[in-house]
Every structure is written in C-alpha cells, then in structure tokens.
Amino acid sequence: MTVKLSKTSKLDGVKSWSLQAVKTCPGSVDPATGGLVPACEGCYAIGGNYLFPNVIAPREFNQQDWKRDAWVSDMIDALRNDRYFRWFDSGDMYDVRLAKKIYLVMLNTPDVKHWLPTRMHKFSKFTAILAAMQALPNVMVRASSDSVTGAYTPGVHGSTIVPSLDAPDGVTICHAATNDGKCGPCRACYSKDVAVIGYVAHGQKMAGVVKRALAA
C-alpha cells in the first residue's frame, strides 16, 4: 500500500506526513480552560484550504494507516530519494505507538533530514521517545510553544509565535516572514545550531489572538 504524503509549498515541495489538526493534537488544549492554547486558536490548519474534502481525506486516512505492520517500511521506501522531510504540517503524534514508528522511520533514513514540530513534549510518556529522536544526527524535534508573544522554554530546541519581526532574545526569526511566505533555501528549522525559531504571526484570526494576548 502506498502511504499518503503531502507537499509543503512554503518549503518548495518538501514532503510531509500529516493528520487532522486539533482532533490529533492533545497538546493544543489548555487544561485550565478546556479551550485551545493561544498558538492553536489562530492555527492555519483549522480553516481555509484545510477544510476542503481533498485535504481532509488523506489526513483522516493517515490516522488509520500508520497502524499497519508495513507502514514503517512503506515510509522508508517513500523517503528513499528525499533530502528533507517534515512531519505534521497539521496534527501531532498523539499516540506513543505512532511516535515509536516515526522513530524507526527516522533511524532507517539517515540521509534524510527530519523536522518534527510537536506539543507532545508536555506529556511525560513521550519524554523518552522524543529524546531518542533528538539524539539522531538527522533529526530536529522542536517543542512548539503555546505562546503568541514569543515566550519559549530556555535550553530546549523549540519554536514560538512572535507578534513582529522584533525577535526576543534567543529567537531566530523565520526567513519566510521577509520572503513572501516562502522558505527558499533556508532550512533553519532542521538545524540543531538554531535553538528557537520565531514564526511571525500572520492572518486576521491570529492577529486577533495576538492582540488579546498582548492586552492581557
């Protein structure tokens, strides 16, 4: 069976494997309020093109497909000719069993640079597998911050949303913010030399989230 991959236009066609946002993102929920954390309130993957049936279908398919015994070997075959790969342009690795399978894909594709943004670092049951992934020389796991004002966890490779191009200390602004929304040749998100990436807030919905956060 062929795995279903998407292509990230921002990354010049780099392939990605994704799931449905929110329903596979336990880390998107604020336990204190039961609502979405600020960074997820304005998430691009809960509106726009992500509501189209042809976009939803492969993500829902993937939520079942990863459970197959042959999924790991099929993913390894699918990435054999790639240099870069992004996990989850939407969704998250909500299940430790999925995380362990992703690790096996990463381990067995040493010539592919993997970038995995995630909020599952919030849950202790993922600590060991995330550390194992990050220890691989070809893997960058980035702990996604819930903040939309540039806050992040010091000492941890991560990412955060920032209100403007004025980067907080320790944050590298995403190149796409000044390049018409495109990464171009930049691969900072994959680099272990870049501690924290700051994605500049964009879109009307996210602008409202940022405004409320700054006023709080």
Side-chain angles (χ1 to χ4, degrees):
M1 184 179 292
T2 302
V3 295
K4 293 190 182 297
L5 304 178
S6 52
K7 288 188 177 181
T8 309
S9 58
K10 178 180 176 180
L11 272 164
D12 297 330
V14 168
K15 294 175 185 174
S16 182
W17 187 89
S18 301
L19 299 171
Q20 276 289 85
V22 180
K23 67 188 295 186
T24 63
C25 302
S28 69
V29 177
D30 183 343
T33 66
L36 295 177
V37 299
C40 297
E41 285 186 69
C43 176
Y44 61 84
I46 59 176
N49 292 342
Y50 284 81
L51 298 179
F52 293 159
N54 66 313
V55 177
I56 292 173
R59 287 160 173 77
E60 290 188 336
F61 173 87
N62 286 345
Q63 192 171 348
Q64 300 304 318
D65 188 50
W66 70 263
K67 300 170 185 176
R68 291 187 296 113
D69 290 342
W71 183 82
V72 170
S73 59
D74 287 349
M75 283 294 297
I76 292 168
D77 287 342
L79 301 185
R80 201 166 298 282
N81 296 318
D82 291 272
R83 291 183 59 211
Y84 293 92
F85 188 73
R86 174 180 176 171
W87 293 92
F88 303 107
D89 65 58
S90 63
D92 207 338
M93 52 180 188
Y94 63 101
D95 191 306
V96 173
R97 294 170 299 172
L98 170 58
K100 290 178 178 178
K101 284 193 170 186
I102 289 174
Y103 170 78
L104 291 175
V105 176
M106 294 169 165
L107 179 67
N108 288 284
T109 52
D111 295 327
V112 180
K113 296 288 188 182
H114 294 262
W115 162 34
L116 191 152
T118 184
R119 284 191 165 75
M120 302 315 293
H121 59 90
K122 297 180 179 182
F123 306 99
S124 60
K125 64 183 179 180
F126 284 87
T127 300
I129 190 63
L130 289 175
M133 290 176 176
Q134 191 73 309
L136 295 174
N138 61 318
V139 175
M140 170 50 60
V141 176
R142 290 200 177 273
S144 300
S145 169
D146 294 339
S147 174
V148 295
T149 59
Y152 63 92
T153 303
V156 175
H157 283 94
S159 63
T160 186
I161 294 173
V162 295
S164 70
L165 289 171
D166 295 325
D169 289 343
V171 175
T172 299
I173 293 295
C174 170
H175 174 72
T178 56
N179 192 46
D180 196 29
K182 303 293 184 181
C183 297
C186 178
R187 293 295 181 266
C189 292
Y190 293 83
S191 175
K192 294 181 187 289
D193 294 329
V194 179
V196 181
I197 300 287
Y199 302 113
V200 178
H202 62 278
Q204 186 174 356
K205 188 173 183 179
M206 184 59 82
V209 175
V210 171
K211 184 177 181 180
R212 291 193 296 273
L214 292 173

